[in-house]
Amino acid sequence: MCKQYLIWSLCGLTLSFVIVSVLSVSSEAPSLSMGKINRYFSYSYYCLLYNDTGNSTIVWIPSSEEISETEYGYDGFIYCTINRDSYCNLENASGLTFQHAYNNFPLTLNQLWQGFDVVKLSLYRSFSKKIDYPDNFQVSFSFRMDNVDILLCEEVVKGLLYHRCYYLTLGGSVGKASFLRKCQTGEINVESTENCSLPLIEIHKDTIINSKEWHHFSIIKKQNTYTLSKYGWQTPALSYTDNSTSPFLPKYVLLQGYKKEGLAKIHEVNAFAFEKSTLAKITLQNRPRNGVIIFVKACENCIVAISLQDGDKGTLLYSTQTTQSDGGWQQVVLKTEKRRSLRIVAAVSNFGSIGGEEKWYISDTIRELQDNDIVSLTAQGQGCCHALTHPQYKICTYHLSKYDPGDQQCASNSIGRNCIPCESIFHSGNCQPNPICDLMADGNVRCSCPAGLHGNYCENKCKDGSYGFDCRRKCGHCRDLCEAIDGTCKGCRDNFKGKRCDTRNSILSLFDDKEIPQV
């Protein structure tokens, strides 16, 4: 079971850590499934992510043109927010730190991404943040929009006046060329296409950004050199060095949209800082059903040791040690076998790999692990579910009408080509009278019904005398009809026994029906 449903999970005592590179995409795509469920007398769609190595999560992209900040539905996914002091007791932390994406902080596209605030941008709605370390920094973004301006400015006054800015346009005013300009005080007018100087660098990529999926970028500053990297591109989108006598020293990042609204996320995390020799202890007040996911940030080559204890008895449940290969946020899964109080104990050693690094961090967002490590997402209305790190891998609601029966060897309490346990989705053995569609390795979508049902929308029960997946199996020698799901009989005809009445009584099993002696 652990192999089949391994997502950010523990198989025995081994933890799965995540490192996401800005410049490369893993060739191994996660597995997606989508289905429809009737809840509260209305239909909603659910998307499932599984068989993943822990480097992604899922997002819902509605089919309508309307852009909403609240287009995601997670079933109790965010479990614990430490800084609200409502569900966790934290020991030995030196205080809450607001972590911008700086100091070797790569893009974070695992489940922590879901905790980043999403903002709506337009020509009249901008968003700005202060850069804590202006000398050298890295700021990461995610955009779902056709065009956006990114301004790195020395000063922003009331979000309207921009002074001495590097002005980066992605998608241009008509969704085409992207370019970088350098603007002095008083030269910026966001409502005009004639802003400050001519473009210093132009990116000849027509598809660098669009509103149909999320695109992820990082801007890295080292001294007076600025590099823009896009997730999935093997080379930087642009690199610019300001060799002038008066280079700017940006202290703010500002995002500005165009007439068409779009969505953006700045990758920043609320986290607690720990001194390098400090032992972190977190006690959870609630009792997670399957375990938790925590996020740790430490120096490159630092050794991270984490143990999971029973919060009531203090007994050790799991223990692991690993070496972080970069300084980004790492996703760590801690799995339990039953609902219980939990205490997380963590420590980091081998500091000094990166000069000056004296602290390590735990995000204030802790997520409850879902059944069988399957990540689920629900939504109302039509649309597509994407794997965040593989946007080309998606499955859409219109696939649900393409029923494609096929051989199934799953147990009766599971669903889909990958035999996902119904308990993981519906918290019961009932798989619901709805199809589930799986994204296959060849890029095609295959749909199937739960056992005992058939039809384009799985609306029909198996005809009398048949049962199972696609109603392909014949009932045994039942006194009455067999159950359409698994062929179970309420009683057997004479001379037969078994759950499905498909086994002859032992004494008579040597004879054919016509050869049974009459008494």
Side-chain angles (χ1 to χ4, degrees):
M1 184 65 71
C2 192
K3 284 185 178 179
Q4 192 167 4
Y5 305 110
L6 181 62
I7 319 165
W8 305 308
S9 66
L10 277 168
C11 238
L13 304 181
T14 304
L15 285 171
S16 175
F17 282 79
V18 178
I19 301 164
V20 179
S21 169
V22 172
L23 297 178
S24 63
V25 178
S26 171
S27 59
E28 219 174 287
S31 299
L32 290 177
S33 291
M34 179 181 285
K36 184 171 66 172
I37 182 172
N38 189 354
R39 287 179 175 171
Y40 310 113
F41 305 103
S42 64
Y43 282 102
S44 62
Y45 298 96
Y46 60 89
C47 180
L48 306 176
L49 175 73
Y50 53 95
N51 292 340
D52 187 56
T53 57
N55 65 348
S56 188
T57 189
I58 46 180
V59 294
W60 180 264
I61 308 294
S63 58
S64 66
E65 291 296 321
E66 181 181 357
I67 299 295
S68 170
E69 295 99 324
T70 57
E71 55 189 36
Y72 312 107
Y74 293 92
D75 297 331
F77 210 27
I78 297 180
Y79 174 71
C80 183
T81 305
I82 297 173
N83 66 325
R84 295 179 183 173
D85 197 27
S86 56
Y87 298 111
C88 297
N89 291 331
L90 183 72
E91 300 178 32
N92 301 329
S94 60
L96 184 66
T97 302
F98 197 64
Q99 289 291 305
H100 292 274
Y102 66 87
N103 192 17
N104 194 29
F105 185 6
L107 284 167
T108 302
L109 302 180
N110 53 31
Q111 291 190 55
L112 186 57
W113 185 89
Q114 304 296 349
F116 299 152
D117 292 334
V118 59
V119 296
K120 184 183 291 186
L121 298 177
S122 68
L123 184 62
Y124 306 104
R125 296 182 68 176
S126 60
F127 178 78
S128 62
K129 282 289 186 180
K130 186 177 180 181
I131 298 173
D132 294 330
Y133 298 85
D135 293 330
N136 295 287
F137 60 83
Q138 177 175 340
V139 183
S140 297
F141 316 89
S142 294
F143 297 111
R144 190 164 80 77
M145 52 198 308
D146 292 324
N147 33 55
V148 65
D149 289 334
I150 305 172
L151 284 75
L152 302 174
C153 302
E154 287 193 355
E155 186 177 1
V156 176
V157 181
K158 295 183 179 180
L160 297 174
L161 301 177
Y162 319 115
H163 302 289
R164 292 170 59 86
C165 304
Y166 296 108
Y167 194 141
L168 177 62
T169 296
L170 300 181
S173 59
V174 292
K176 293 296 182 180
S178 302
F179 45 84
L180 174 70
R181 291 175 289 190
K182 182 180 178 181
C183 304
Q184 299 290 341
T185 299
E187 291 185 337
I188 299 177
N189 178 6
V190 294
E191 298 184 16
S192 171
T193 57
E194 303 296 332
N195 285 320
C196 57
S197 63
L198 294 175
L200 299 172
I201 298 178
E202 186 168 350
I203 308 171
H204 297 282
K205 292 284 185 180
D206 291 347
T207 57
I208 192 171
I209 190 173
N210 62 57
S211 60
K212 296 180 180 180
E213 58 196 35
W214 284 97
H215 300 263
H216 316 286
F217 300 87
S218 283
I219 295 178
I220 304 170
K221 181 199 175 187
K222 292 185 178 180
Q223 296 181 345
N224 292 323
T225 297
Y226 297 82
T227 303
L228 173 70
S229 297
K230 181 179 179 181
Y231 182 80
W233 287 16
Q234 299 302 314
T235 58
L238 70 79
S239 182
Y240 167 70
T241 301
D242 191 343
N243 292 318
S244 68
T245 57
S246 57
F248 298 163
L249 184 63
K251 298 178 182 178
Y252 295 87
V253 56
L254 182 136
L255 306 179
Q256 178 78 47
Y258 283 79
K259 292 183 179 180
K260 186 177 180 180
E261 292 182 329
L263 298 181
K265 288 191 176 194
I266 294 184
H267 295 204
E268 53 191 2
V269 185
N270 286 318
F272 281 90
F274 296 87
E275 301 298 329
K276 62 181 182 180
S277 59
T278 300
L279 192 69
K281 299 178 181 179
I282 302 173
T283 303
L284 306 182
Q285 301 301 316
N286 289 8
R287 295 174 178 266
R289 178 175 179 173
N290 302 294
V292 294
I293 301 173
I294 68 171
F295 304 92
V296 179
K297 179 180 181 292
C299 64
E300 184 176 350
N301 295 325
C302 278
I303 298 174
V304 180
I306 300 177
S307 64
L308 189 65
Q309 300 176 358
D310 187 303
D312 297 325
K313 301 178 181 179
T315 55
L316 179 66
L317 302 175
Y318 296 110
S319 179
T320 187
Q321 178 174 298
T322 188
T323 301
Q324 295 199 334
S325 60
D326 77 351
W329 286 101
Q330 312 258 339
Q331 179 170 286
V332 183
V333 172
L334 300 169
K335 192 174 182 181
T336 61
E337 296 179 353
K338 63 180 181 179
R339 191 182 295 276
R340 67 177 84 200
S341 175
L342 296 178
R343 192 184 200 195
I344 302 166
V345 180
V348 175
S349 61
N350 198 35
F351 279 85
S353 300
I354 298 179
E357 185 68 59
E358 295 292 329
K359 294 184 178 181
W360 62 283
Y361 308 89
I362 293 181
S363 167
D364 74 339
T365 298
I366 295 178
R367 299 186 184 276
E368 186 172 6
L369 189 64
Q370 296 187 325
D371 291 341
N372 291 297
D373 312 330
I374 295 174
V375 181
S376 68
L377 170 124
T378 60
Q380 302 289 331
Q382 303 291 322
C384 298
C385 180
H386 296 242
L388 188 64
T389 55
H390 298 74
Q392 71 276 25
Y393 290 92
K394 63 183 178 181
I395 190 167
C396 305
T397 54
Y398 62 77
H399 287 127
L400 296 181
S401 62
K402 298 179 180 179
Y403 174 62
D404 176 32
D407 293 331
Q408 294 283 358
Q409 302 298 326
C410 300
S412 59
N413 62 343
S414 60
I415 190 171
R417 301 301 176 99
N418 293 280
C419 304
I420 302 171
C422 297
E423 177 69 20
S424 303
I425 311 171
F426 308 111
H427 302 295
S428 73
N430 181 8
C431 282
Q432 307 288 323
N434 297 306
I436 187 169
C437 300
D438 300 307
L439 185 64
M440 310 302 287
D442 59 6
N444 293 316
V445 174
R446 301 285 187 270
C447 300
S448 56
C449 293
L453 299 169
H454 70 101
N456 288 337
Y457 299 96
C458 304
E459 71 277 16
N460 301 319
K461 289 187 177 181
C462 293
K463 294 181 180 180
D464 294 349
S466 63
Y467 74 96
F469 290 100
D470 200 34
C471 306
R472 293 188 176 192
R473 295 195 173 189
K474 300 299 181 182
C475 294
H477 298 266
C478 306
R479 287 190 182 275
D480 203 346
L481 300 177
C482 73
E483 292 289 339
I485 295 177
D486 59 3
T488 300
C489 300
K490 294 182 179 179
C492 298
R493 289 167 49 190
D494 293 342
N495 305 325
F496 290 92
K497 64 179 181 178
K499 178 180 178 181
R500 298 185 179 90
C501 300
D502 51 3
T503 304
R504 292 180 184 271
N505 288 319
S506 58
I507 297 178
L508 302 176
S509 61
L510 297 175
F511 300 95
D512 185 76
D513 284 343
K514 297 179 180 179
E515 297 174 338
I516 298 177
Q518 302 297 319
V519 178

